[in-house]
Amino acid sequence: MISHVVAYGLNREIGKDNDLLWRLPDDLKHFKTVTSGGTVVMGRKTFESIGKALPNRRNIVVTSDPSFEADQIEVWHDLERLVEESQNEEWFVIGGATLYDQTMSVTSRIYATEVESTFEGDTFYPERIGSWTITHQSNHPQDDKHAYAFSFIQYDKADIDE
């Protein structure tokens, strides 16, 4: 199963200048909880913004750059294997926008952190394709460690063919 893990603002903005738009410690903890022990799939720019392989995860970077390599990273040059290899376990697409867009049609679950503010971004999460059901939601207020209120929302794709 392919899942997206994403945080976005009210206009679906996810980043600017290859960086995050906010720092939300509880969102980072949530990301770690959801993805630890699993397989994360990311684009090259997302990997470069992180700067290293994420610990306790299988890390796959998808890039068209034939010379790209990095420590503790599997490099894929296309997505053809993704659907087939992720059939027996949940794999997590963690960015960026191009990879989210390329995998939306085969994604079954979205772990979204919806930040309750707008930001000046240059990178955006695509519109969801198909029918989705909210299967879990928890709200987090603004507080001394979090400049913005946000919600963790799990969307599961409905089993309805459209």
Side-chain angles (χ1 to χ4, degrees), residues 93-107:
V93 173
I94 62 169
T98 300
L99 197 54
Y100 286 137
D101 190 52
Q102 290 173 330
T103 59
M104 182 61 77
S105 66
V106 294
T107 296

Side-chain angles (χ1 to χ4, degrees), residues 18 42-49 61-65 68 95-96:
N18 206 32
M42 67 195 98
R44 178 189 51 81
K45 290 180 185 177
T46 297
F47 172 74
E48 289 173 348
S49 74
V61 173
V62 180
T63 178
S64 60
D65 180 350
F68 179 81

